[in-house]
Amino acid sequence: MQSFQPPRRILMGPGPSDVSPRVLAALARPTIGHLDPQFQALMEEIKAALQRLFNAPDHACVPLPAPGTAGMEAAMMNLLEPGDRCVVAVNGAFGGRMADMAGRAGATVVTVDHDWGQPVDPARVEAALSEAPTKVLAFVHAETSTGARSDAASLCAVARRHGALSVVDTVTSLGGIVVDVAGWDADVVYSGTQKCLSAPPGLSPIALSKRAQAAISARKEKVRNWLLDFNLLMAYWGGEGGRTYHHTAPINALYGLHEALVALFEEGQQAAIVRHAKMHEAFLAGIEAVGLSLLVAEPHRLPQLNTVVVPDGIDEAAVRAHVLAAWDLEIGAGIGALKGKVWRIGLMGACATPWHVRLCLTGLCDALAAQGMAVDAKAALAAAEAKLGA
């Protein structure tokens, strides 16, 4: 057995995204104990930084010790008990996963199904909530399987009107577009570190409102997940009267998240959002210049997750294999209903740069030309440059 030396890839799929050198360096700092006073001070900084990042000053914000899917599971398992009614808006793979988890918590699950690539329709959700008292409304803000953005403010308002708690998946949105937990009046909002925050996968930042915390405290039975039970977790992360041992925290991963947040705040959250939007505009101009298009209609597109429609006659898997072999570039395949029909191309965090846009357009054109499609890479780059220089 020998030491593993990973290849140097450029990660422009649906996640993970490239991790910046400063975050990688932070991960290599000396490990200290998870109850060390210096580490506990770091925990307090991370909690405050997540409140700032989510714009959730009145929410309890902690990073769960697992990827973004753990945030989804924590939300469902903590809020829902057997017999509770849960409405889930499904417009892609991750809305479907929410519904699956709600069912595993014992809830009566009602799905509001949409075509993949469409945003969630608040009117249809409201109709479902009107049918019976509902404990939870769950939806995905930025659907990673399609690249579609839904109106979180409107959907959270619908939940409030019907006395339901809102659960919002922001795994792909946090750090790339506006996430305004206080403005939305959302109850449980979770994310991941491996997308627009450009930290490694393995942590799930989550924010819980006072309403959500009260609902969890009032449960009739124990949460059906020990590690992610907020009543237990908050005894460690809350720190009131001294922290109670719960689990051994992923110490070095938290160093990485802390450094990623430092870098984001140095740039400025609004500046990062503008950067993601500008890189999306440049990339879109480039692909349109060679006759390609995006799946999602313009008003609902995610700038950080571009779902490119595969042209007729093109082997989409061969394109992905070509750019990986020739350019060390990873782009994503379609999943579920979109398998074989789209590429998912991420412009997330450290990958939302002019260099990444140019590389991806060049590699994509090269791969399409290898299959006999007439594409003009120079035209694609010129169109992108016009947006980058604007």
Side-chain angles (χ1 to χ4, degrees):
M1 189 172 183
Q2 297 180 336
S3 298
F4 177 64
Q5 297 296 333
R8 177 67 177 94
R9 305 293 197 200
I10 298 97
L11 302 179
M12 297 187 69
S17 60
D18 283 351
V19 178
S20 71
R22 65 186 288 181
V23 172
L24 291 174
L27 293 167
R29 291 171 187 160
T31 304
I32 58 177
H34 65 281
L35 294 175
D36 187 292
Q38 292 299 311
F39 184 70
Q40 293 189 30
L42 179 73
M43 292 168 68
E44 291 303 309
E45 282 198 21
I46 290 172
K47 285 161 57 180
L50 291 178
Q51 286 181 314
R52 177 180 173 187
L53 179 65
F54 279 117
N55 188 32
D58 295 324
H59 286 57
C61 295
V62 299
L64 300 176
T69 300
M72 181 188 293
E73 185 157 11
M76 296 307 186
M77 293 300 171
N78 277 269
L79 293 180
L80 293 170
E81 297 189 75
D84 286 340
R85 187 174 192 260
C86 177
V87 172
V88 184
V90 179
N91 65 331
F94 295 95
R97 187 176 294 182
M98 282 179 143
D100 186 355
M101 288 186 183
R104 289 169 187 247
T108 299
V109 182
V110 176
T111 61
V112 183
D113 297 310
H114 298 70
D115 291 339
W116 284 37
Q118 295 297 318
V120 174
D121 181 350
R124 293 186 58 209
V125 169
E126 183 141 33
L129 288 171
S130 299
E131 292 173 356
T134 302
K135 177 77 170 291
V136 167
L137 166 65
F139 65 92
V140 179
H141 179 221
E143 178 53 74
T144 315
S145 62
T146 68
R149 167 178 18 192
S150 293
D151 184 347
S154 295
L155 291 165
C156 288
V158 168
R160 295 295 336 124
R161 284 199 294 273
H162 292 272
L165 297 167
S166 54
V167 173
V168 189
D169 181 313
T170 65
V171 169
T172 296
S173 47
L174 190 65
I177 57 176
V178 173
V179 171
D180 185 1
V181 171
W184 299 342
D185 195 18
D187 288 301
V188 179
V189 182
Y190 62 86
S191 189
T193 51
Q194 75 275 21
K195 308 271 187 168
C196 296
L197 300 185
S198 286
L203 295 171
S204 178
I206 192 165
L208 293 94
S209 71
K210 289 182 170 61
R211 287 188 299 261
Q213 294 173 62
I216 295 167
S217 296
R219 289 178 62 94
K220 298 181 181 68
E221 64 172 45
K222 288 183 177 180
V223 175
R224 295 186 176 187
N225 186 310
W226 190 91
L227 178 63
L228 302 177
D229 181 339
F230 283 119
N231 291 314
L232 301 177
L233 270 171
M234 294 312 296
Y236 176 54
W237 274 95
E240 290 81 3
R243 288 186 167 85
T244 302
Y245 169 71
H246 177 253
H247 67 281
T248 301
I251 293 153
N252 290 63
L254 289 164
Y255 294 168
L257 171 60
H258 182 271
E259 190 66 23
L261 294 172
V262 170
L264 178 60
F265 294 144
E266 284 177 357
E267 179 182 8
Q269 287 176 260
Q270 184 59 36
I273 289 168
V274 170
R275 171 169 57 85
H276 282 86
K278 187 170 185 177
M279 295 310 110
H280 162 74
E281 290 169 2
F283 178 74
L284 176 61
I287 64 166
E288 287 184 338
V290 293
L292 300 177
S293 62
L294 297 183
L295 173 74
V296 179
E298 189 277 328
H300 312 299
R301 290 173 184 160
L302 295 173
Q304 65 270 44
L305 199 288
N306 297 266
T307 308
V308 180
V309 177
V310 176
D312 292 339
I314 294 296
D315 182 338
E316 70 84 17
V319 167
R320 289 185 288 109
H322 183 103
V323 296
L324 187 65
W327 298 89
D328 285 322
L329 172 63
E330 177 185 289
I331 62 175
I335 59 175
L338 297 178
K339 184 177 181 180
K341 300 177 181 179
V342 299
W343 297 294
R344 292 181 295 154
I345 297 178
L347 296 167
M348 300 182 189
C351 292
T353 75
W355 184 87
H356 285 84
V357 170
R358 296 181 189 110
L359 175 77
C360 190
L361 289 173
T362 302
L364 195 57
C365 287
D366 179 45
L368 291 170
Q371 291 194 41
M373 182 174 171
V375 289
D376 185 345
K378 290 183 179 179
L381 290 170
E385 291 297 337
K387 294 293 184 180
L388 292 170

